[in-house]
Amino acid sequence: MKSSIALNIGTAAMVFGLLSGCGQTGPLYMPTPPAKPQPVPAQPPAMPPVSSSVAQ
């Protein structure tokens, strides 16, 4: 008798403990889709200026 009461209490504690961990906290909402990145125009890479004071 005593063991069945303890088993029921233990089972109930486990069920409530598992159920309390379920779900997301905070408001539920559908996230907005991310904005599409704008295409970058293709440009050739810039060449660095050539210095005339190169040590030879």
Side-chain angles (χ1 to χ4, degrees), residues 1-11:
M1 178 83 174
K2 287 184 180 183
S3 64
S4 65
I5 293 174
L7 182 64
N8 288 341
I9 291 173
T11 303

Side-chain angles (χ1 to χ4, degrees), residues 2-30:
K2 287 184 180 183
S3 64
S4 65
I5 293 174
L7 182 64
N8 288 341
I9 291 173
T11 303
M14 285 183 59
V15 168
F16 288 125
L18 290 173
L19 288 177
S20 68
C22 294
Q24 177 182 354
T25 59
L28 300 177
Y29 63 94
M30 292 295 292

Side-chain angles (χ1 to χ4, degrees), residues 41-50:
Q43 294 178 351
M47 296 296 292
V50 179

